[in-house]
Amino acid sequence: SAVISQKPSRDICQRGTSLTIQCQVDSQVTMMFWYRQQPGQSLTLIATANQGSEATYESGFVIDKFPISRPNLTFSTLTVSNMSPEDSSIYLCSVRGGFDQPQHFGDGTRLSIL
Amino acid sequence: QQQVKQSPQSLIVQKGGISIINCAYENTAFDYFPWYQQFPGKGPALLIAIRPDVSEKKEGRFTISFNKSAKQFSLHIMDSQPGDSATYFCAASKAGGTSYGKLTFGQGTILTVHP
């Protein structure tokens, strides 16, 4: 399966600042996604990162708050903008090689906002 | 996203016992049903997955049972071990269109296996 590396693995940030999370995959993948996991909760899809075009956001998530880039088939970034304590969560990158391929997750970025 | 309901929230079993976690879904368009295992500080790891054209899939000690008419599927862990203690998530997605690859997760089950 693909090896997914996320950076940073954790961070503590000040209210009102922004943080960019990187996701690097060791092989080309068709689909890349960003999920959020709030403390002790399940996973919620934020958006699908589309190569060379704007990401597709799920209901409740907007581009101004969570801008996403995907310049190629192995890399994506998620920015959490103008952070508030409510943004304290684990942010997870997920990839799928193609149709009928399993979907895998990175270990996530644990973000705490003070 | 359509809902996937998972139960129980937590489960305690003795070593060697059978752990059973259940999920129910609403959207009949779902056609891919994976189970993930998550340890503290780690991302979810794919455990086993099933498509609705089969009623059961077994991989080692892990078995998925699938009931299409009832819109339910379950994970059975045979001979449960303390190392199986983790949080388990069921999920579902549709195969095609704009929903391809978008997983809807259940609420999670914290499994504790006592030695």
Side-chain angles (χ1 to χ4, degrees):
Chain A
S1 61
V3 176
I4 305 167
S5 301
Q6 274 189 245
K7 292 182 180 180
S9 59
R10 62 178 64 244
D11 208 339
I12 300 173
C13 300
Q14 295 295 320
R15 183 194 300 255
T17 62
S18 299
L19 178 75
T20 296
I21 302 167
Q22 298 180 358
C23 177
Q24 179 74 55
V25 190
D26 69 342
S27 59
Q28 293 185 346
V29 293
T30 303
M31 311 290 289
M32 294 184 79
F33 306 91
W34 289 97
Y35 285 80
R36 181 174 74 181
Q37 186 175 24
Q38 294 179 302
Q41 302 296 314
S42 186
L43 289 83
T44 301
L45 178 63
I46 297 172
T48 302
N50 301 308
Q51 189 213 353
S53 64
E54 193 171 285
T56 305
Y57 291 85
E58 298 302 305
S59 176
F61 298 96
V62 295
I63 187 172
D64 290 345
K65 177 67 175 177
F66 298 102
I68 289 170
S69 77
R70 187 179 174 192
N72 55 51
L73 293 175
T74 64
F75 185 79
S76 178
T77 66
L78 167 74
T79 298
V80 186
S81 304
N82 188 26
M83 290 183 286
S84 66
E86 293 71 35
D87 295 321
S88 297
S89 288
I90 303 170
Y91 292 87
L92 296 141
C93 174
S94 177
V95 305
R96 197 164 184 177
F99 178 73
D100 215 26
Q101 294 295 308
Q103 192 158 334
H104 298 287
F105 287 80
D107 281 338
T109 295
R110 284 147 185 79
L111 185 57
S112 297
I113 315 303
L114 301 180
Chain B
Q1 290 181 348
Q2 300 296 316
Q3 196 171 14
V4 176
K5 296 181 179 180
Q6 183 173 344
S7 63
Q9 282 188 313
S10 62
L11 180 62
I12 299 174
V13 301
Q14 292 298 123
K15 178 181 176 182
I18 303 173
S19 303
I20 301 175
I21 305 171
N22 301 298
C23 284
Y25 62 98
E26 300 173 352
N27 191 339
T28 54
F30 285 151
D31 64 354
Y32 175 68
F33 303 90
W35 284 90
Y36 286 87
Q37 178 190 58
Q38 186 176 32
F39 292 105
K42 295 292 187 179
L46 180 63
L47 203 54
I48 187 172
I50 198 168
R51 294 199 180 274
D53 52 345
V54 297
S55 60
E56 186 176 282
K57 183 175 181 179
K58 183 177 180 179
E59 291 185 0
R61 296 185 294 111
F62 302 93
T63 299
I64 298 179
S65 297
F66 186 83
N67 186 328
K68 188 174 181 178
S69 61
K71 293 188 288 185
Q72 296 176 346
F73 58 110
S74 60
L75 176 69
H76 292 63
I77 305 175
M78 311 300 289
D79 186 27
S80 299
Q81 300 296 312
D84 296 331
S85 297
T87 301
Y88 292 80
F89 291 97
C90 64
S93 72
K94 304 178 209 179
T98 58
S99 296
Y100 170 70
K102 297 181 181 180
L103 292 170
T104 299
F105 280 85
Q107 295 84 349
T109 296
I110 301 172
L111 172 65
T112 303
V113 181
H114 286 315

